Amino acid sequence: MSDFPTTARVVIIGGGVVGTSTLYHLAKAGWTDCVLLEKNELTAGSTWHAAGNCPNFSGSWAVMNMQRYGLGMYRTLADDVDYPMNYHVTGSLRLAHSKERMQEFERVSGMGRYQGLEMPILTPEEMKEHHPFMETHDLAGGMWDPLDGDIDPAQLTQAMAKGARDLGARIERFCPANGVERDGDEWIVKTDKGDIRCQYVANCAGYYAQRVGEWFKPFGGRTVPMVTMSHQYFLTDEIPEVAAWTKEKGHKLPIIRDVDISYYLRQDKNGLNLGPYERNCKAHWITPEDPMPEDFSFQLYPDDLERLEFYIEDAMARVPALGTAGVGRNINGPIPYAPDGLPLLGPMPGVKNAFEGHCFTFGIAQGGGAGKVLSEWIMHGETEWDMWATDPRRYTGYADHDYSLAKALETYGHEYAMHFPHHEWPAGRNKKLSPIDANLRAVGGQMGAYNGWERANWFAKDGDDTSDAATHTWDRSGPWAPRIKAEVEAVRDGVGVLDLPGFSRFELSGNGAAEWLRGRIAGALPKAGRMTLGYFPDSRGRILTEMSLIRHGEDHFTLITAATAQWHDWDVLNNALPKGLHLTDHTDEFSTLIVSGPKSRDLFKELNTQADLSLGWLTHQDAVVAGIACRLVRVSFAGELGWEVHAPMADVPALFDAITGAGAVPFGMYALNSMRIEKGYRAWKGDLSTDYSMFEGGLDRFIKLDKPQDFPGKAALQNEKQQGSKKRFVTLIVDAGDQDAPYMSTIWNGDEVVGETTSGAWGYRINASIALGVVRTSVSVPGTQLEVEIYGKRYPATVQEDQPLWDPANDRLRA
């Protein structure tokens, strides 16, 4: 007890692979005065997990980067820390039963190639060469991942622990944390061995993370959105044929991932390990009658093999040798799930100097990279890669227990599902409804969820196929296509209205608010009565966030930002807010109607609008529309003459009825996306992310390097201005086929990869497929001929002038 640490710079709660990896990375960076608290033994996630799988690629660069980094780290870790590890690189085969799955594999293969990872597409015959025990007659093909494999999780965790200890970091075993307190700027972590004062604390408590998260509620925290799922896998007895093949070849069989049926099958010793993600899955510890035990270490749930029967039968048909051996052991243990199945990794929402690193469903694969990322968050407040896909702030108040449970069941049961561009997952819906939600559905609104808010994506007509099955395609065409076209044409030729609830909306005021904002954004502030876009760089000059700055008076602003950015952007503002300034969140109190099109001014006149409709672009004013007080903001994301109508929630139904009654045609988010891409307008966390500097993102006109304020990233941007940017934002017209370029499609110049797309869509006003992207500066010259890889095929693409494709002079917008 005498040497128990009473102070530390960082305390990590939880000794799984992510917590241990974080400690190791902190120690490698010189932060040795850090302590990890472990309730029992150091383990890799749950103690029941026999092996990890890596990598499990998804459409997220954040996840791919973590796994790519981890692969490299694990290869040398045993030598780096002088600790032996069993790490088997077996490769894996991903099986495709359909054309759509093969298209997805082509996309994943292209994303891997962008990162220097070769994952070739195989024919069924080629797959048989890798795995002679597998039946392939009914497959469309597959993908080979040569770097996949398995690793002993206990050895991995102990290796990182040894490395951290050798560098001076501290691990306290058999020392569970049991609470936290706050004293000024310091955290006090409570344990049975004593208190530890620290500057930063990280919740890496695995499936106990929600319980630990409750400790932070008095300091601004929330209930962690997660559910503990029951995951089963079983191990067979030895299979003589597998043993003989392994002895002959000198290595193990590759892993099989049947992503359409939803299981993995890998060799374990000389037997096989089958792990399904069954549709009829089960969660635990979700009711008062089934409480989470105080300590579940080294324990398992009762076997429930009936849930697995379908998957066992299918796997035995795929690999008949599986059916020749008995079940050696069945494992049924806990695995934590966030609603989307991705980790919660990053700043703890609403709580300063507190972080989260948990809910890893593929913890071994992601653990090495997760430790790197979390240590960067702690040390620098920012990360090398844009990590929004795992940021805990991506979930806000709507993510309650019912939502988290519904989504966890859905996500687990569709672990390997394809995420088609026009498909909306049904679980956990209708958490936040617009006051006119029923009106929109009554006229055919097909809804999508945006930070919990339901918005219309498109409007169906009688006879349109609105079934779930119709959305299972990567193609542009579908029942939505003619409707999107008609909605765009209504905005282009007349006037349309879009219901847009959920804009993140903050009020900033107080003496000195304007000067403080000047020191946070790269550009200038608008005058009172006007608005502009403000860009907040990080310390490297990269694009942290974008806000609309609406100025009411010298020191009074309304700041409007993306719906999904609500808790992220609140932290951006609040964590740097000086005393004397006032920041309040009004997101749930107001809503917005987008009224846009060349006849929108005539519509407002018809409604006896009390406002100056001659005021120019980027102005705002109090107004009365159809007898209802509101605020008119002269701006249009659709790129046509138009206004945003901001009003209290209760007044939106009457405003909508009046506006549609005067002839405005409802349009949806798909139409808006098409029109904003035609204008080259960027979307947050697609085109605008910390993967790019402001210059690389083409935001030069929003940067004022000559202003006196030393805003974050100013020095980095000055240096980039002098040295020149290595990348530039471009608009491409693509001679595409049946699909438009999805996010992060590879851009080629001959045989060389030169960039990636950030978004893409069909432009109905210019009748062409458009992609926005970032490429090497040398190929960003207008007229340059490039190629965009879309689901495995390359299509010619031409770099356009740095101006909107639709109405390049903005004459329609400013009319």
Side-chain angles (χ1 to χ4, degrees):
M1 289 288 290
S2 61
D3 66 342
F4 183 77
T6 57
T7 61
R9 193 183 304 193
V10 183
V11 170
I12 299 169
I13 301 172
V17 65
V18 175
T20 313
S21 176
T22 303
L23 186 73
Y24 177 55
H25 282 87
L26 287 169
K28 283 177 64 178
W31 282 39
T32 56
D33 51 342
C34 301
V35 177
L36 183 148
L37 302 178
E38 172 52 32
K39 181 181 294 188
N40 291 298
E41 298 285 352
L42 291 169
T43 60
S46 304
T47 57
W48 57 271
H49 207 303
N53 306 307
C54 54
N56 180 63
F57 288 106
S58 74
S60 161
W61 280 123
V63 174
M64 292 187 76
N65 279 324
M66 282 198 302
Q67 293 170 175
R68 175 177 56 85
Y69 175 89
L71 285 172
M73 173 184 165
Y74 296 162
R75 285 194 202 99
T76 65
L77 182 61
D79 292 334
D80 292 342
V81 302
D82 190 25
Y83 191 93
M85 287 181 6
N86 290 322
Y87 180 18
H88 304 113
V89 179
T90 63
S92 69
L93 294 162
R94 290 181 178 247
L95 315 186
H97 295 249
S98 66
K99 177 193 75 172
E100 288 78 16
R101 184 65 80 173
M102 288 297 289
Q103 288 176 295
E104 182 199 50
F105 285 173
E106 291 279 10
R107 170 160 164 70
V108 173
S109 179
M111 293 179 71
R113 191 179 304 113
Y114 181 87
Q115 294 197 343
L117 302 174
E118 289 298 325
M119 294 183 287
I121 303 300
L122 302 182
T123 65
E125 294 74 24
E126 290 170 329
M127 296 166 70
K128 188 85 172 179
E129 295 175 7
H130 287 284
H131 200 301
F133 301 104
M134 181 175 66
E135 295 295 326
T136 62
H137 61 279
D138 59 340
L139 297 176
M143 184 177 70
W144 171 244
D145 180 358
L147 298 179
D148 208 342
D150 62 82
I151 195 168
D152 185 298
Q155 291 177 347
L156 172 63
T157 310
Q158 292 292 347
M160 290 189 292
K162 180 180 183 297
R165 287 191 185 103
D166 289 348
L167 291 166
R170 181 78 175 259
I171 296 175
E172 286 293 326
R173 295 170 54 206
F174 309 107
C175 184
N178 50 43
V180 297
E181 294 178 355
R182 192 83 169 141
D183 183 11
D185 292 332
E186 288 186 323
W187 288 106
I188 303 172
V189 181
K190 314 290 287 186
T191 82
D192 291 339
K193 295 183 180 181
D195 297 348
I196 307 176
R197 287 180 172 266
C198 59
Q199 186 177 358
Y200 305 100
V201 63
N203 178 1
C204 298
Y207 51 79
Y208 283 98
Q210 189 176 79
R211 178 174 292 177
V212 171
E214 294 296 301
W215 303 342
F216 293 88
K217 277 189 170 180
F219 311 105
R222 86 299 185 213
T223 296
V224 174
M226 62 173 286
V227 167
T228 301
M229 298 296 297
S230 159
H231 180 60
Q232 292 188 92
Y233 65 91
F234 73 80
L235 309 171
T236 72
D237 295 329
E238 180 172 311
I239 301 173
E241 298 97 315
V242 172
W245 187 91
T246 304
K247 183 177 180 180
E248 176 188 351
K249 299 296 183 180
H251 60 81
K252 297 166 69 174
L253 288 163
I255 301 167
I256 293 173
R257 300 190 191 277
D258 195 325
V259 292
D260 289 314
I261 305 301
S262 193
Y263 64 79
Y264 62 84
L265 181 67
R266 71 171 187 84
Q267 184 175 341
D268 184 87
K269 298 181 180 177
N270 286 319
L272 294 173
N273 172 342
L274 176 65
Y277 292 91
E278 66 275 17
R279 294 284 194 273
N280 56 330
C281 52
K282 184 177 181 179
H284 276 282
W285 308 330
I286 55 174
T287 66
E289 295 74 32
D290 181 27
M292 176 181 284
E294 285 300 318
D295 189 352
F296 198 72
S297 303
F298 312 109
Q299 298 182 55
L300 297 171
Y301 302 132
D303 293 350
D304 192 5
L305 284 172
E306 288 186 9
R307 297 201 333 244
L308 308 186
E309 285 182 0
F310 166 78
Y311 303 92
I312 294 171
E313 291 173 2
D314 188 274
M316 287 194 300
R318 180 67 57 206
V319 180
L322 177 65
T324 66
V327 176
R329 188 185 180 201
N330 188 69
I331 314 294
N332 185 9
I335 185 168
Y337 262 70
D340 59 5
L342 292 177
L344 295 173
L345 178 68
M348 186 180 295
V351 186
K352 286 187 178 181
N353 294 341
F355 300 85
E356 297 183 327
H358 53 77
C359 291
F360 286 82
T361 59
F362 294 87
I364 304 299
Q366 299 164 2
K372 165 186 155 56
V373 168
L374 189 51
S375 66
E376 290 171 345
W377 272 124
I378 294 169
M379 293 186 295
H380 312 302
E382 57 195 26
T383 55
E384 178 184 358
W385 314 311
D386 189 281
M387 296 302 299
W388 178 243
T390 70
D391 195 312
R393 296 168 295 185
R394 69 188 187 272
Y395 290 109
T396 60
Y398 69 92
D400 57 15
H401 175 74
D402 291 341
Y403 173 86
S404 298
L405 175 59
K407 294 302 290 185
L409 292 169
E410 180 182 67
T411 300
Y412 182 98
H414 297 83
E415 182 66 53
Y416 296 117
M418 291 176 276
H419 293 263
F420 297 108
H422 296 98
H423 180 253
E424 291 286 338
W425 292 94
R429 297 296 296 275
N430 299 327
K431 297 302 293 185
K432 290 187 174 183
L433 300 180
S434 162
I436 58 170
D437 181 81
N439 310 55
L440 301 176
R441 296 175 195 256
V443 293
Q446 304 302 300
M447 313 304 285
Y450 299 81
N451 194 32
W453 290 95
E454 296 288 327
R455 296 175 178 172
N457 283 328
W458 62 285
F459 288 87
K461 301 294 185 183
D462 290 344
D464 287 347
D465 184 357
T466 59
S467 68
D468 182 80
T471 67
H472 289 202
T473 178
W474 304 108
D475 290 354
R476 171 189 319 112
S477 63
W480 50 81
R483 305 304 170 218
I484 299 171
K485 181 175 185 291
E487 291 169 25
V488 170
E489 290 173 347
V491 176
R492 181 195 66 189
D493 301 332
V495 58
V497 58
L498 171 68
D499 179 47
L500 202 65
F503 264 148
S504 302
R505 188 184 304 262
F506 311 117
E507 291 290 317
L508 175 68
S509 62
N511 187 33
E515 184 60 24
W516 177 75
L517 265 183
R518 290 189 187 97
R520 306 307 299 173
I521 65 171
L525 294 180
K527 296 178 180 179
R530 297 189 62 83
M531 66 167 295
T532 190
L533 290 175
Y535 289 91
F536 292 70
D538 67 11
S539 69
R540 304 159 297 178
R542 297 188 184 188
I543 307 165
L544 182 60
T545 194
E546 168 199 75
M547 299 187 196
S548 293
L549 311 179
I550 298 175
R551 193 170 190 176
H552 305 287
E554 175 61 27
D555 284 317
H556 182 200
F557 299 84
T558 297
L559 311 178
I560 295 180
T561 182
T564 54
Q566 183 183 3
W567 281 8
H568 175 279
D569 283 3
W570 173 265
D571 278 357
V572 168
L573 296 167
N574 191 57
N575 287 351
L577 197 70
K579 292 182 179 180
L581 299 189
H582 307 286
L583 182 70
T584 50
D585 187 333
H586 300 271
T587 300
D588 292 342
E589 300 170 26
F590 293 86
S591 191
T592 304
L593 297 174
I594 307 296
V595 180
S596 194
K599 297 181 180 179
S600 55
R601 182 178 282 114
D602 295 336
L603 179 144
F604 282 116
K605 289 178 179 178
E606 183 178 336
L607 295 175
N608 298 315
T609 298
Q610 297 175 32
D612 185 353
L613 297 176
S614 68
L615 288 182
W617 189 41
L618 301 180
T619 60
H620 63 93
Q621 59 186 308
D622 290 329
V624 176
V625 176
I628 301 165
C630 58
R631 177 164 293 275
L632 289 182
V633 180
R634 177 75 190 278
V635 67
S636 172
F637 207 45
E640 300 284 352
L641 171 67
W643 284 262
E644 292 178 356
V645 184
H646 298 258
M649 286 284 186
D651 292 333
V652 170
L655 281 166
F656 183 77
D657 287 346
I659 290 168
T660 53
V665 175
F667 67 100
M669 297 297 292
Y670 290 165
L672 182 66
N673 186 60
S674 169
M675 291 186 282
R676 70 98 183 166
I677 286 181
E678 287 179 310
K679 293 295 292 184
Y681 294 159
R682 280 66 152 167
W684 189 68
K685 290 307 179 189
D687 315 295
L688 303 172
S689 81
T690 56
D691 283 332
Y692 311 116
S693 75
M694 288 193 60
F695 283 125
E696 291 172 342
L699 302 175
D700 307 46
R701 65 187 182 279
F702 296 101
I703 305 171
K704 288 183 64 67
L705 294 176
D706 58 347
K707 70 177 186 177
Q709 292 80 16
D710 187 22
F711 58 86
K714 184 175 184 179
L717 290 170
Q718 287 172 327
N719 182 64
E720 184 179 347
K721 181 76 171 179
Q722 294 171 353
Q723 301 295 324
S725 301
K726 295 180 180 179
K727 303 176 183 178
R728 291 299 294 179
F729 191 89
V730 294
T731 299
L732 302 168
I733 289 184
V734 188
D735 186 12
D738 295 330
Q739 305 91 27
D740 299 308
Y743 168 72
M744 288 296 162
S745 297
T746 303
I747 301 175
W748 294 82
N749 182 25
D751 293 330
E752 190 176 18
V753 174
V754 294
E756 67 276 355
T757 63
T758 55
S759 57
W762 186 265
Y764 290 91
R765 291 178 295 194
I766 70 166
N767 198 34
S769 182
I770 308 164
L772 307 182
V774 177
V775 299
R776 293 181 188 172
T777 302
S778 59
V779 297
S780 65
V781 179
T784 302
Q785 298 298 306
L786 302 171
E787 290 179 306
V788 176
E789 184 175 342
I790 304 175
Y791 301 109
K793 295 182 180 180
R794 298 189 197 177
Y795 295 92
T798 305
V799 178
Q800 302 299 299
E801 295 286 346
D802 186 16
Q803 61 186 19
L805 296 173
W806 174 251
D807 186 26
N810 288 325
D811 293 332
R812 298 169 67 92
L813 195 67
R814 300 173 185 268

